[in-house]
Amino acid sequence: MSDVLLRVENLRSGYGRIEVLHGISLEVREGELVSIVGANGAGKTTLLLTLSALVRTRAGSTTLDGARLSGLRPHAIVARGLIHVPEGRLILAQMSIEENLQLGAARTPAVQRRAAIDAMYARFPVLGERRALPAGSLSGGEQQMLAIARGLLAKPRLLLLDEPSMGLAPKLVDAIFSIIAEVRASGTAVLLVEQNARKALALADRAYVLERGRITLSGTGGELLHQPAVVEAYLGSHA
Amino acid sequence: MFDQQLANGIFLGAVYALFAVGYTLIFGVLDILNLAHSAIFMASSFVALALVGHGMPFWAAFLAATAFGGVLSVVLDRVAFAPLRARGVGGGALGPLISSIAFGIIVVSVVRGIFGPDEVGYPAGAVVSANLHIGHATFTAIDLSVLVISLLMMIMLSLLLKATSLGRAIRAVAENTKAASLLGIDVERTIGLTFLIAGALGAAAGILIGAQFNAVGILMGQRIELKGLAVIILGGMGSIPGAVLGGFLLGLLEVFSVAYLSSSYRDAIAFAVMFLILIVRPAGLLGKRAARTA
Ligand SMILES: Nc1ncnc2c1ncn2[C@@H]1O[C@H](COP(=O)(O)OP(=O)(O)O)[C@@H](O)[C@H]1O
Ligand SMILES: [Mg+2]
């Protein structure tokens, strides 16, 4: 079995008096693509926000490469290589595309930064063509590409993606999924949260099903894709 | 006459602009009105005066008291704003407004306790005051230095915001703190540095205006407080170029209404004109945000 990169043990968190995650345990190994599927409101976004310390951990622990993340502030977690591309993208709409990427590459030494950003422009030509424009002028799909490009520039050990295909037309959904496949092929571990369970499971090495704040099933992507319970709950409408 | 008034308006406007730039910077980043900005402006002016009184040359006192204002502003953030921020009380709430008023009142009280309630001037000869002439306008070397220093500081600020990684971080925090955190920006540190810069700018404005009018007094903060607020609203909340434009506009309006209309209506006329401008442009001259809908 290959090395565990991210280990989450008995994680609890929530908002105010409400506990949303009731003891989550999961792991992501080096180079693996792990998907989390679950209904709306199951706690997928809360899980990723808790990993990034934007929501406080109430109990349990998170380690990356064996080093404890719980207790660190968000910027310190980014510095360890846990890079989170959030739900809704959160691109900086008033800043230019170039500046968004500069911010992503902030921890790359200045001499290498230009080349790293230009490499992203080569990979996503739309971004290069509009580099000087405000990021808010991009379409939804382009903004998602910008958010992923910005995340990749931060040199992730593990990339967290929260619903990257949300709100996109089918053609763009395919484009985003092939970008995710490329990221995994380049050796970067990915933890992917998706509404589009069929595509997410098809791409995943392993997957977890999250239901009302608890992990209820786990297995390889292929296994879950054929589990009757999963098919009924999450794949029915796509069949 | 016109040349002279124009020059006077520009000199006055430069200081208003410098004061307002720091004020609007905090609003732009945190969405809060920092009502202690004017207390820092006033306190730093006293610190510069005291340092000159102890024999320090004016330029050195200017630098030291500007740094003092920056540090006091960081203390302000830690004491008045950071605790509320940590509890999730953000922009738009009244808590930060009240705590900044409280901090400002404490600063004013301490300054009054140390320096007394009277307006004081610089010792003779401490500030260079040679007369200069351009066209039909006569002004002093300190007038000109005030203008040059204010312009330099505002140019440095806009370069910092545009072209440095700190500037990018400040703008990222201003736009979305959550997104900034996920980009690895230390949000609290960035806010602290923003207060340092804003406080130093407000302090510099206070020191310069004290030297320009050769009068440093406990009420100088109160006098500029509402004007500064008017200037940043006029310029467009959070807009640095807007604050600069608004500052010069207010300086010119005040000087010209005294010269051509009546000194007793100076503030009334200046504020009436600003009011009219805001009717036409509710988001301010350079404001990007439309009037808030929700
Ligand atoms: N900021 C918040 N404050 C209070 N409750 C929240 C907040 N965000 C999410 N929740 C609640 O937490 C639960 C999980 O939400 P979320 O993690 O967004 O689910 P998912 O991403 O799986 O759709 C939901 O019941 C939601 O209403
Ligand atoms: Mg979600």
Side-chain angles (χ1 to χ4, degrees):
Chain A
M1 192 182 287
S2 49
D3 297 341
V4 174
L5 180 60
L6 175 79
R7 187 189 298 280
V8 177
E9 277 174 338
N10 269 314
L11 190 70
R12 291 174 183 270
S13 75
Y15 307 93
R17 291 207 194 103
I18 302 158
E19 185 177 90
V20 173
L21 302 181
H22 312 291
I24 300 284
S25 299
L26 57 81
E27 59 188 44
V28 180
R29 297 172 203 137
E30 295 278 3
E32 221 180 16
L33 193 154
V34 173
S35 287
I36 295 179
V37 296
N40 236 329
K44 304 182 296 296
T45 295
T46 304
L47 171 61
L48 297 198
L49 289 174
T50 309
L51 296 181
S52 290
L54 285 179
V55 169
R56 198 175 59 82
T57 295
R58 295 181 177 181
S61 74
T62 310
T63 55
L64 188 74
D65 263 339
R68 214 177 150 86
L69 293 185
S70 0
L72 295 181
R73 287 172 51 214
H75 67 94
I77 289 177
V78 173
R80 298 287 175 87
L82 189 92
I83 307 299
H84 183 162
V85 178
E87 186 174 74
R89 294 145 202 157
L90 299 192
I91 53 137
L92 295 162
Q94 292 168 29
M95 296 174 75
S96 70
I97 290 157
E98 168 80 15
E99 286 179 319
N100 270 271
L101 294 177
Q102 290 271 0
L103 283 165
R107 280 168 310 104
T108 302
V111 282
Q112 296 160 24
R113 208 177 292 153
R114 186 70 260 156
I117 292 175
D118 285 341
M120 276 308 154
Y121 287 148
R123 189 157 166 194
F124 304 107
V126 254
L127 301 182
E129 286 155 21
R130 312 205 192 149
R131 62 183 78 184
L133 297 181
S137 69
L138 295 173
S139 72
E142 290 159 354
Q143 290 190 11
Q144 188 62 58
M145 282 179 200
L146 175 61
I148 293 176
R150 195 173 68 174
L152 291 176
L153 280 170
K155 302 219 180 97
R157 298 276 289 119
L158 173 64
L159 189 66
L160 309 182
L161 295 172
D162 195 348
E163 310 246 14
S165 76
M166 187 165 59
L168 301 184
K171 228 178 91 183
L172 284 168
V173 172
D174 290 343
I176 294 294
F177 271 92
S178 62
I179 292 167
I180 298 168
E182 280 169 38
V183 171
R184 192 260 305 267
S186 74
T188 302
V190 178
L191 183 60
L192 171 67
V193 162
E194 258 299 333
Q195 288 268 305
N196 198 327
R198 182 178 300 278
K199 277 190 157 44
L201 292 177
L203 194 60
D205 296 305
R206 288 185 312 108
Y208 295 89
V209 175
L210 185 64
E211 268 177 55
R212 275 171 281 147
R214 291 191 171 82
I215 302 281
T216 51
L217 278 172
S218 65
T220 66
E223 280 164 13
L224 290 189
L225 211 43
H226 298 104
Q227 278 259 348
V230 175
V231 174
E232 194 181 326
Y234 304 108
L235 304 176
S237 61
H238 296 276
Chain B
M1 167 85 166
F2 180 84
D3 289 6
Q4 184 68 54
Q5 301 311 330
L6 186 65
N8 291 349
I10 288 173
F11 294 134
L12 185 60
V15 180
Y16 286 163
L18 191 57
F19 176 82
V21 159
Y23 207 173
T24 212
L25 179 64
I26 297 295
F27 185 86
V29 173
L30 293 175
D31 256 10
I32 51 174
L33 276 180
N34 172 15
L35 291 179
H37 193 58
S38 61
I40 291 170
F41 162 93
M42 181 275 298
S44 307
S45 195
F46 270 103
V47 168
L49 182 80
L51 292 175
V52 168
H54 282 83
M56 200 183 262
F58 179 73
W59 65 267
F62 172 79
L63 292 179
T66 298
F68 166 82
V71 171
L72 185 58
S73 177
V74 173
V75 173
L76 159 72
D77 175 49
R78 294 327 303 169
V79 171
F81 296 122
L84 293 171
R85 211 159 49 234
R87 275 150 217 253
V89 182
L94 292 175
L97 201 64
I98 303 299
S99 59
S100 74
I101 292 175
F103 188 90
I105 288 175
I106 291 168
V107 169
V108 170
S109 309
V110 170
V111 172
R112 189 188 289 114
I114 298 174
F115 295 99
D118 298 327
E119 205 164 75
V120 274
Y122 278 87
V127 179
V128 184
S129 56
N131 281 328
L132 304 170
H133 306 274
I134 293 183
H136 295 292
T138 302
F139 46 87
T140 62
I142 181 71
D143 285 331
L144 188 65
S145 323
V146 166
L147 178 63
V148 170
I149 293 172
S150 303
L151 288 177
L152 274 180
M153 291 185 90
M154 291 187 280
I155 290 167
M156 275 161 50
L157 175 67
S158 67
L159 287 179
L160 175 107
L161 289 175
K162 267 203 198 84
T164 69
S165 56
L166 173 61
R168 266 196 299 273
I170 290 174
R171 285 184 294 133
V173 171
E175 193 174 330
N176 189 325
T177 48
K178 190 168 153 189
S181 294
L182 292 181
L183 285 166
I185 293 168
D186 184 342
V187 170
E188 284 299 310
R189 178 172 170 273
T190 305
I191 291 175
L193 289 170
T194 306
F195 270 93
L196 183 76
I197 294 165
L201 293 169
I207 301 160
L208 292 175
I209 213 168
Q212 193 176 15
F213 292 99
N214 198 20
V216 176
I218 201 86
L219 294 176
M220 63 191 283
Q222 272 173 43
R223 278 195 213 111
I224 202 166
E225 176 92 72
L226 278 181
K227 288 179 186 175
L229 185 58
V231 162
I232 65 179
I233 295 171
L234 184 68
M237 292 306 285
S239 163
I240 305 275
V244 175
L245 186 65
F248 280 107
L249 205 62
L250 178 62
L252 289 166
L253 275 172
E254 283 192 358
V255 167
F256 277 100
S257 50
V258 171
Y260 293 102
L261 298 161
S262 154
S263 67
S264 45
Y265 289 110
R266 183 185 71 175
D267 290 347
I269 292 162
F271 274 79
V273 171
M274 291 193 285
F275 174 66
L276 291 177
I277 294 174
L278 286 172
I279 289 178
V280 182
R281 291 190 61 91
L285 290 169
L286 302 181
K288 284 201 197 105
R289 308 160 191 241
R292 291 193 191 173
T293 46

